[in-house]
Protein backbone atom coordinates (compact mmCIF):
# COMPACT_ATOMS: atom_id res chain seq x y z
CA UNK A 1 0.00 0.00 0.00
CA UNK A 2 1.28 3.46 -0.89
CA UNK A 3 -0.47 6.53 0.43
CA UNK A 4 -0.07 9.78 -1.46
CA UNK A 5 0.48 13.25 -0.06
CA UNK A 6 -2.87 14.80 -0.92
CA UNK A 7 -2.76 18.60 -1.05
CA UNK A 8 -6.49 18.91 -1.75
CA UNK A 9 -8.32 21.90 -0.25
CA UNK A 10 -11.10 19.57 0.85
CA UNK A 11 -12.07 16.84 1.37
CA UNK A 12 -8.53 16.59 2.61
CA UNK A 13 -6.16 14.14 4.25
CA UNK A 14 -7.06 12.52 7.55
CA UNK A 15 -4.49 11.31 10.09
CA UNK A 16 -3.44 7.80 9.18
CA UNK A 17 -3.77 6.69 12.82
CA UNK A 18 -7.42 7.74 12.73
CA UNK A 19 -8.11 5.83 9.52
CA UNK A 20 -6.46 2.75 10.99
CA UNK A 21 -8.53 2.94 14.15
CA UNK A 22 -11.70 3.31 12.07
CA UNK A 23 -10.59 0.28 10.06
CA UNK A 24 -10.02 -1.77 13.22
CA UNK A 25 -13.43 -0.80 14.55
CA UNK A 26 -15.26 -1.05 11.24
CA UNK A 27 -17.12 -4.33 11.75
CA UNK A 28 -17.37 -4.37 15.52
CA UNK A 29 -17.13 -1.17 17.50
CA UNK A 30 -15.69 -2.00 20.92
CA UNK A 31 -17.51 -5.29 21.32
CA UNK A 32 -20.91 -3.92 20.34
CA UNK A 33 -21.08 -6.39 17.45
CA UNK A 34 -21.87 -3.65 14.96
CA UNK A 35 -20.30 -0.90 12.92
CA UNK A 36 -20.81 2.70 14.05
CA UNK A 37 -22.64 3.15 10.74
CA UNK A 38 -25.26 0.66 11.88
CA UNK A 39 -25.94 2.13 15.32
CA UNK A 40 -29.05 3.93 16.39
CA UNK A 41 -28.11 7.54 17.01
CA UNK A 42 -30.10 7.33 20.25
CA UNK A 43 -28.57 4.07 21.46
CA UNK A 44 -26.12 4.06 24.35
CA UNK A 45 -23.13 3.20 22.14
CA UNK A 46 -23.53 6.12 19.78
CA UNK A 47 -24.52 8.47 22.60
CA UNK A 48 -21.19 7.73 24.27
CA UNK A 49 -19.32 8.38 21.00
CA UNK A 50 -21.18 11.67 20.51
CA UNK A 51 -20.62 12.88 24.06
CA UNK A 52 -16.93 11.99 24.01
CA UNK A 53 -16.45 13.85 20.72
CA UNK A 54 -18.08 16.98 22.10
CA UNK A 55 -16.12 16.77 25.36
CA UNK A 56 -12.84 16.39 23.46
CA UNK A 57 -13.62 19.31 21.15
CA UNK A 58 -14.57 21.46 24.14
CA UNK A 59 -11.30 20.62 25.81
CA UNK A 60 -9.18 21.12 22.68
CA UNK A 61 -10.64 24.55 21.93
CA UNK A 62 -11.28 25.50 25.57
CA UNK A 63 -14.91 26.23 24.71
CA UNK A 64 -16.63 28.07 27.59
CA UNK A 65 -19.74 26.50 29.17
CA UNK A 66 -22.08 29.19 27.85
CA UNK A 67 -21.49 27.97 24.28
CA UNK A 68 -23.44 25.21 22.55
CA UNK A 69 -21.58 22.85 20.25
CA UNK A 70 -23.78 21.61 17.41
CA UNK A 71 -23.04 18.72 15.04
CA UNK A 72 -25.09 19.53 11.94
CA UNK A 73 -25.29 18.87 8.21
CA UNK A 74 -25.56 21.12 5.20
CA UNK A 75 -21.97 22.33 5.14
CA UNK A 76 -20.62 25.79 5.80
CA UNK A 77 -22.77 26.88 2.86
CA UNK A 78 -25.96 26.31 4.88
CA UNK A 79 -24.51 28.49 7.61
CA UNK A 80 -24.42 31.38 5.16
CA UNK A 81 -28.24 31.40 5.57
CA UNK A 82 -28.52 30.03 9.10
CA UNK A 83 -26.39 32.83 10.51
CA UNK A 84 -28.71 35.69 9.46
CA UNK A 85 -31.82 33.60 10.21
CA UNK A 86 -30.69 33.07 13.79
CA UNK A 87 -28.55 36.08 14.59
CA UNK A 88 -30.53 39.03 13.28
CA UNK A 89 -32.79 38.83 16.38
CA UNK A 90 -35.12 41.62 15.29
CA UNK A 91 -32.35 43.82 13.90
CA UNK A 92 -32.18 44.86 10.26
CA UNK A 93 -28.51 45.06 9.44
CA UNK A 94 -25.32 43.03 9.67
CA UNK A 95 -21.68 43.86 8.95
CA UNK A 96 -19.69 41.69 6.55
CA UNK A 97 -15.99 41.73 5.74
CA UNK A 98 -15.12 40.72 2.19
CA UNK A 99 -11.73 39.06 1.79
CA UNK A 100 -12.38 36.73 -1.14
CA UNK A 101 -14.43 33.93 -2.65
CA UNK A 102 -15.95 32.48 0.51
CA UNK A 103 -16.79 35.87 2.02
CA UNK A 104 -18.53 36.74 -1.23
CA UNK A 105 -20.71 33.66 -1.05
CA UNK A 106 -21.62 34.41 2.56
CA UNK A 107 -22.44 37.99 1.57
CA UNK A 108 -24.60 37.00 -1.41
CA UNK A 109 -26.68 34.71 0.80
CA UNK A 110 -26.97 37.17 3.70
CA UNK A 111 -28.28 39.88 1.35
CA UNK A 112 -31.44 37.82 1.00
CA UNK A 113 -32.18 38.34 4.70
CA UNK A 114 -30.65 41.58 5.91
CA UNK A 115 -29.40 45.04 5.09
CA UNK A 116 -25.79 44.31 4.51
CA UNK A 117 -23.08 46.75 5.50
CA UNK A 118 -19.76 46.02 3.83
CA UNK A 119 -17.50 46.75 6.79
CA UNK A 120 -14.35 46.28 4.70
CA UNK A 121 -13.28 44.80 1.40
CA UNK A 122 -9.86 44.04 0.02
CA UNK A 123 -11.13 43.55 -3.52
CA UNK A 124 -9.12 46.59 -4.70
CA UNK A 125 -5.94 44.76 -3.72
CA UNK A 126 -7.25 41.62 -5.49
CA UNK A 127 -7.78 39.89 -2.17
CA UNK A 128 -4.10 39.55 -1.34
CA UNK A 129 -4.33 40.74 2.24
CA UNK A 130 -6.58 40.85 5.28
CA UNK A 131 -7.82 44.31 6.30
CA UNK A 132 -6.40 45.88 9.47
CA UNK A 133 -8.65 46.46 12.46
CA UNK A 134 -8.51 50.21 11.72
CA UNK A 135 -10.04 49.63 8.28
CA UNK A 136 -13.19 47.98 9.62
CA UNK A 137 -16.15 50.35 9.37
CA UNK A 138 -18.35 48.72 11.97
CA UNK A 139 -21.95 49.70 12.62
CA UNK A 140 -22.57 49.67 16.41
CA UNK A 141 -26.22 48.71 15.70
CA UNK A 142 -25.36 45.72 13.51
CA UNK A 143 -26.80 42.39 14.62
CA UNK A 144 -23.39 40.78 14.10
CA UNK A 145 -20.11 41.04 12.19
CA UNK A 146 -19.25 38.20 9.82
CA UNK A 147 -15.78 37.43 8.50
CA UNK A 148 -13.75 34.60 7.02
CA UNK A 149 -10.60 34.10 9.13
CA UNK A 150 -9.01 32.01 6.38
CA UNK A 151 -9.87 32.35 2.70
CA UNK A 152 -9.28 28.85 1.41
CA UNK A 153 -9.00 29.82 -2.25
CA UNK A 154 -6.92 32.99 -1.99
CA UNK A 155 -4.74 31.72 0.87
CA UNK A 156 -5.38 34.86 2.94
CA UNK A 157 -5.63 34.58 6.70
CA UNK A 158 -6.30 37.10 9.47
CA UNK A 159 -3.47 37.13 11.98
CA UNK A 160 -5.73 38.76 14.57
CA UNK A 161 -9.29 38.41 15.83
CA UNK A 162 -11.29 41.54 14.95
CA UNK A 163 -12.52 43.56 17.93
CA UNK A 164 -16.23 44.19 17.41
CA UNK A 165 -17.08 45.49 20.89
CA UNK A 166 -20.48 44.26 22.03
CA UNK A 167 -21.55 43.18 18.54
CA UNK A 168 -21.26 39.38 18.18
CA UNK A 169 -18.46 38.24 15.89
CA UNK A 170 -19.27 35.39 13.49
CA UNK A 171 -16.48 33.39 11.84
CA UNK A 172 -16.49 30.94 8.96
CA UNK A 173 -13.61 28.87 10.27
CA UNK A 174 -14.00 26.01 7.79
CA UNK A 175 -10.38 25.94 6.70
CA UNK A 176 -8.56 27.04 9.86
CA UNK A 177 -10.45 25.60 12.84
CA UNK A 178 -8.15 23.44 15.02
CA UNK A 179 -5.03 24.78 13.31
CA UNK A 180 -4.06 26.73 16.47
CA UNK A 181 -5.61 27.89 19.74
CA UNK A 182 -8.34 30.55 19.35
CA UNK A 183 -10.07 32.45 22.14
CA UNK A 184 -13.64 31.20 21.62
CA UNK A 185 -15.03 33.77 24.06
CA UNK A 186 -14.31 36.48 21.46
CA UNK A 187 -16.89 34.96 19.09
CA UNK A 188 -20.67 34.80 18.95
CA UNK A 189 -20.65 31.99 16.40
CA UNK A 190 -17.91 29.83 14.93
CA UNK A 191 -18.87 27.45 12.15
CA UNK A 192 -16.91 25.03 9.98
CA UNK A 193 -17.57 22.38 7.39
CA UNK A 194 -15.70 19.30 8.55
CA UNK A 195 -13.90 18.21 5.40
CA UNK A 196 -10.78 20.36 5.83
CA UNK A 197 -9.53 20.07 9.38
CA UNK A 198 -12.14 18.06 11.29
CA UNK A 199 -13.06 14.85 9.52
CA UNK A 200 -14.90 13.53 6.49
CA UNK A 201 -17.44 15.62 4.59
CA UNK A 202 -21.04 15.61 5.76
CA UNK A 203 -20.67 17.19 9.18
CA UNK A 204 -20.78 20.88 10.06
CA UNK A 205 -19.66 22.03 13.49
CA UNK A 206 -21.31 25.15 14.93
CA UNK A 207 -20.17 26.71 18.20
CA UNK A 208 -22.68 29.33 19.33
CA UNK A 209 -23.01 31.49 22.45
CA UNK A 210 -26.22 30.41 24.13
CA UNK A 211 -27.77 33.89 24.53
CA UNK A 212 -27.80 34.28 20.74
CA UNK A 213 -30.17 31.42 19.99
CA UNK A 214 -33.93 31.09 20.05
CA UNK A 215 -34.94 34.28 18.22
CA UNK A 216 -35.09 33.16 14.61
CA UNK A 217 -36.48 35.12 11.70
CA UNK A 218 -40.15 34.41 10.94
CA UNK A 219 -40.47 31.48 8.59
CA UNK A 220 -37.14 29.89 9.50
CA UNK A 221 -37.35 26.14 8.91
CA UNK A 222 -36.89 24.14 12.12
CA UNK A 223 -33.84 22.47 10.61
CA UNK A 224 -32.25 25.93 10.31
CA UNK A 225 -32.97 26.90 13.92
CA UNK A 226 -29.92 26.62 16.22
CA UNK A 227 -32.22 26.38 19.25
CA UNK A 228 -34.00 23.31 17.89
CA UNK A 229 -30.67 21.53 17.43
CA UNK A 230 -29.29 22.72 20.77
CA UNK A 231 -32.38 21.50 22.67
CA UNK A 232 -32.14 18.12 20.98
CA UNK A 233 -28.39 17.68 21.51
CA UNK A 234 -27.93 17.82 17.72
CA UNK A 235 -30.37 14.92 17.40
CA UNK A 236 -33.45 16.79 16.27
CA UNK A 237 -33.15 14.55 13.23
CA UNK A 238 -30.69 11.78 12.43
CA UNK A 239 -27.23 13.33 12.61
CA UNK A 240 -24.34 12.26 10.33
CA UNK A 241 -23.32 9.58 12.77
CA UNK A 242 -20.27 8.16 11.04
CA UNK A 243 -18.78 11.58 10.28
CA UNK A 244 -19.39 12.58 13.90
CA UNK A 245 -17.57 9.43 15.07
CA UNK A 246 -14.60 10.08 12.79
CA UNK A 247 -14.45 13.71 13.91
CA UNK A 248 -14.32 12.36 17.46
CA UNK A 249 -11.37 10.15 16.55
CA UNK A 250 -9.62 13.20 15.07
CA UNK A 251 -10.25 15.23 18.25
CA UNK A 252 -8.87 12.44 20.42
CA UNK A 253 -5.87 12.15 18.10
CA UNK A 254 -5.17 15.89 18.32
CA UNK A 255 -5.31 15.74 22.10
CA UNK A 256 -2.80 12.92 22.00
CA UNK A 257 -0.51 14.99 19.76
CA UNK A 258 -0.39 17.76 22.34
CA UNK A 259 -3.47 19.76 21.46
CA UNK A 260 -3.75 22.96 19.49
CA UNK A 261 -0.58 24.61 20.86
CA UNK A 262 1.36 21.73 19.39
CA UNK A 263 -0.59 21.90 16.12
CA UNK A 264 0.12 25.63 15.88
CA UNK A 265 3.87 25.06 16.14
CA UNK A 266 3.83 22.33 13.53
CA UNK A 267 1.54 24.27 11.20
CA UNK A 268 3.55 27.47 11.46
CA UNK A 269 6.71 25.56 10.75
CA UNK A 270 5.26 23.74 7.72
CA UNK A 271 3.88 26.97 6.25
CA UNK A 272 7.02 29.04 6.86
CA UNK A 273 9.17 26.42 5.14
CA UNK A 274 6.98 26.39 2.07
CA UNK A 275 6.71 30.19 1.84
CA UNK A 276 10.48 30.47 2.27
CA UNK A 277 11.00 28.05 -0.61
CA UNK A 278 8.66 30.13 -2.78
CA UNK A 279 10.18 33.47 -1.77
CA UNK A 280 13.76 32.26 -2.22
CA UNK A 281 13.12 31.32 -5.83
CA UNK A 282 12.59 33.49 -8.91
CA UNK A 283 10.52 30.72 -10.44
CA UNK A 284 7.68 30.44 -7.89
CA UNK A 285 5.58 33.28 -6.50
CA UNK A 286 2.85 33.84 -3.92
CA UNK A 287 0.95 37.14 -4.20
CA UNK A 288 -0.28 37.41 -0.60
CA UNK A 289 1.19 39.99 1.77
CA UNK A 290 3.48 38.12 4.19
CA UNK A 291 1.51 39.05 7.34
CA UNK A 292 -1.75 37.74 5.81
CA UNK A 293 -0.44 34.45 4.48
CA UNK A 294 -2.45 31.38 5.33
CA UNK A 295 -0.93 28.54 7.29
CA UNK A 296 -3.39 26.14 5.70
CA UNK A 297 -3.68 27.01 1.99
CA UNK A 298 -0.62 28.10 0.05
CA UNK A 299 -1.32 29.22 -3.52
CA UNK A 300 1.63 29.73 -5.82
CA UNK A 301 2.32 30.30 -9.49
CA UNK A 302 5.11 29.21 -11.79
CA UNK A 303 7.03 31.86 -13.73
CA UNK A 304 5.78 30.24 -16.91
CA UNK A 305 2.16 29.06 -16.77
CA UNK A 306 2.79 26.84 -19.79
CA UNK A 307 4.71 24.55 -17.43
CA UNK A 308 1.73 24.09 -15.09
CA UNK A 309 0.55 20.85 -16.67
CA UNK A 310 4.07 19.37 -16.66
CA UNK A 311 4.54 20.41 -13.03
CA UNK A 312 1.31 18.70 -12.02
CA UNK A 313 2.15 15.57 -13.97
CA UNK A 314 5.61 15.16 -12.48
CA UNK A 315 4.38 16.00 -8.98
CA UNK A 316 1.60 13.46 -9.26
CA UNK A 317 4.05 10.76 -10.35
CA UNK A 318 5.88 11.39 -7.06
CA UNK A 319 2.72 11.01 -5.00
CA UNK A 320 2.27 14.77 -4.57
CA UNK A 321 -1.31 15.17 -5.68
CA UNK A 322 -4.17 17.63 -6.06
CA UNK A 323 -1.87 20.65 -6.35
CA UNK A 324 -3.86 22.36 -9.09
CA UNK A 325 -5.01 25.81 -7.99
CA UNK A 326 -8.68 26.72 -7.80
CA UNK A 327 -10.20 27.31 -11.24
CA UNK A 328 -10.87 30.96 -10.31
CA UNK A 329 -7.19 31.79 -9.66
CA UNK A 330 -5.18 29.18 -11.61
CA UNK A 331 -1.63 28.20 -10.74
CA UNK A 332 -1.06 25.82 -7.85
CA UNK A 333 -2.37 25.52 -4.34
CA UNK A 334 -0.94 23.35 -1.60
CA UNK A 335 -3.41 22.82 1.22
CA UNK A 336 -1.45 21.74 4.26
CA UNK A 337 -4.00 21.12 6.99
CA UNK A 338 -3.27 19.44 10.32
CA UNK A 339 -3.17 15.96 8.78
CA UNK A 340 -0.54 16.84 6.15
CA UNK A 341 2.68 15.44 7.60
CA UNK A 342 5.73 17.68 7.65
CA UNK A 343 7.39 15.05 5.43
CA UNK A 344 4.77 15.85 2.77
CA UNK A 345 5.72 19.51 2.79
CA UNK A 346 9.41 18.57 2.67
CA UNK A 347 8.77 16.31 -0.31
CA UNK A 348 6.91 19.11 -2.10
CA UNK A 349 9.70 21.62 -1.46
CA UNK A 350 12.29 19.16 -2.73
CA UNK A 351 10.29 18.47 -5.86
CA UNK A 352 9.75 22.18 -6.51
CA UNK A 353 13.48 22.87 -6.33
CA UNK A 354 14.23 20.00 -8.66
CA UNK A 355 11.58 21.10 -11.15
CA UNK A 356 12.97 24.61 -11.11
CA UNK A 357 16.50 23.33 -11.78
CA UNK A 358 15.26 21.36 -14.79
CA UNK A 359 12.79 23.85 -16.23
CA UNK A 360 13.48 27.23 -14.63
C1 LIG B 1 -14.87 24.83 1.97
C2 LIG B 1 -15.38 26.11 2.51
C3 LIG B 1 -16.74 26.44 2.52
C4 LIG B 1 -17.79 25.54 1.91
O1 LIG B 1 -18.02 24.47 2.71
P1 LIG B 1 -19.17 23.40 2.39
O2 LIG B 1 -19.06 22.50 3.57
O3 LIG B 1 -18.82 22.76 1.09
O4 LIG B 1 -20.46 24.12 2.32
C5 LIG B 1 -17.13 27.64 3.07
N1 LIG B 1 -16.24 28.48 3.61
C6 LIG B 1 -14.91 28.21 3.62
C7 LIG B 1 -13.96 29.18 4.22
C8 LIG B 1 -14.45 27.02 3.07
O5 LIG B 1 -13.14 26.74 3.09
Amino acid sequence: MTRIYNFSAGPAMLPEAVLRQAQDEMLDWQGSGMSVMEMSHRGKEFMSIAEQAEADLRQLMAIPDNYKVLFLQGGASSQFAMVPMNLLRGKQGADYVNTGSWSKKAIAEAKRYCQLNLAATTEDSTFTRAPAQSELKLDPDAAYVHYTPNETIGGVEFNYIPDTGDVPLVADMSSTILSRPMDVSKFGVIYAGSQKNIGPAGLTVVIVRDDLIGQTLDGTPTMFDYAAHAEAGSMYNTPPTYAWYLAGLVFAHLKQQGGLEAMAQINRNKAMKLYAAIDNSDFYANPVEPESRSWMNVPFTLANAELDAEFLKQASARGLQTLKGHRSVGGMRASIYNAMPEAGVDALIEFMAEFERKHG
Side-chain angles (χ1 to χ4, degrees):
M1 184 200 67
T2 322
R3 282 183 49 83
I4 58 161
Y5 291 120
N6 181 3
F7 293 91
S8 169
M13 289 183 80
L14 286 165
E16 191 170 315
V18 163
L19 295 176
R20 286 191 185 284
Q21 187 177 346
Q23 182 179 41
D24 287 346
E25 296 177 339
M26 176 62 72
L27 295 183
D28 176 10
W29 182 81
Q30 299 189 7
S32 66
M34 57 185 158
S35 167
V36 174
M37 278 182 252
E38 302 168 301
M39 290 176 181
S40 161
H41 55 296
R42 302 190 195 282
K44 67 175 191 316
E45 293 90 354
F46 188 76
M47 290 299 276
S48 75
I49 290 171
E51 280 163 20
Q52 189 63 49
E54 178 174 339
D56 285 345
L57 180 61
R58 283 186 177 276
Q59 195 190 335
L60 271 177
M61 293 183 71
I63 300 172
D65 288 342
N66 61 325
Y67 284 74
K68 303 286 188 192
V69 178
L70 309 178
F71 292 82
L72 309 180
Q73 302 183 56
S77 301
S78 291
Q79 295 307 311
F80 296 163
M82 270 175 98
V83 165
M85 285 175 159
N86 286 269
L87 275 254
L88 280 170
R89 295 164 296 135
K91 296 198 176 218
Q92 301 299 312
D95 287 348
Y96 275 73
V97 180
N98 181 13
T99 48
S101 305
W102 288 113
S103 310
K104 278 189 171 180
K105 287 207 164 167
I107 287 168
E109 191 71 358
K111 277 185 174 163
R112 305 175 63 201
Y113 304 100
C114 67
Q115 283 167 21
L116 192 134
N117 170 41
L118 199 56
T121 175
T122 52
E123 191 149 24
D124 57 355
S125 36
T126 57
F127 297 127
T128 52
R129 63 188 190 88
Q133 172 77 42
S134 59
E135 291 176 71
L136 306 180
K137 295 194 182 63
L138 301 174
D139 173 0
D141 291 325
Y144 60 90
V145 180
H146 180 282
Y147 83 120
T148 311
N150 185 66
E151 283 284 357
T152 320
I153 293 172
V156 172
E157 185 153 22
F158 280 74
N159 62 9
Y160 71 100
I161 298 174
D163 180 358
T164 57
D166 290 336
V167 179
L169 179 62
V170 178
D172 174 1
M173 261 188 217
S174 295
S175 51
T176 190
I177 192 167
L178 302 177
S179 68
R180 76 202 76 186
M182 281 269 188
D183 182 352
V184 174
S185 72
K186 295 217 156 79
F187 297 88
V189 176
I190 291 169
Y191 64 88
S194 58
Q195 67 275 19
K196 281 121 191 189
N197 236 355
I198 296 177
L203 172 74
T204 312
V205 170
V206 176
I207 301 165
V208 55
R209 214 174 66 210
D210 57 14
D211 62 293
L212 298 174
I213 65 175
Q215 303 168 66
T216 51
L217 215 63
D218 277 352
T220 298
T222 309
M223 279 295 288
F224 271 38
D225 179 357
Y226 290 146
H229 291 292
E231 276 158 29
S234 301
M235 299 203 188
Y236 172 79
N237 74 324
T238 315
T241 50
Y242 199 74
W244 190 334
Y245 155 72
L246 269 186
L249 295 187
V250 171
F251 302 152
H253 176 74
L254 291 178
K255 274 175 58 179
Q256 231 176 40
Q257 303 297 300
L260 301 192
E261 295 282 0
M263 293 323 296
Q265 266 184 32
I266 297 167
N267 287 326
R268 183 194 295 110
N269 188 35
K270 286 190 304 190
M272 292 311 131
K273 267 187 192 183
L274 184 49
Y275 286 116
I278 293 168
D279 289 345
N280 292 336
S281 104
D282 295 326
F283 186 69
Y284 301 106
N286 168 286
V288 180
E289 287 190 359
E291 64 274 19
S292 302
R293 283 174 167 178
S294 169
W295 288 5
M296 297 281 104
N297 311 98
V298 182
F300 61 93
T301 51
L302 277 52
N304 176 2
E306 278 170 19
L307 290 169
D308 283 3
E310 187 58 27
F311 180 92
L312 289 165
K313 193 174 128 203
Q314 290 185 25
S316 181
R318 299 253 198 128
L320 307 169
Q321 293 185 17
T322 341
L323 281 161
K324 196 174 180 5
H326 191 268
R327 59 191 177 279
S328 64
V329 290
M332 306 298 152
R333 173 176 48 169
S335 294
I336 50 174
Y337 300 116
N338 283 347
M340 171 60 68
E342 185 158 358
V345 176
D346 291 340
L348 174 62
I349 291 170
E350 195 185 308
F351 166 71
M352 286 168 69
E354 208 180 293
F355 189 87
E356 180 180 355
R357 277 196 300 276
K358 271 196 269 173
H359 302 277

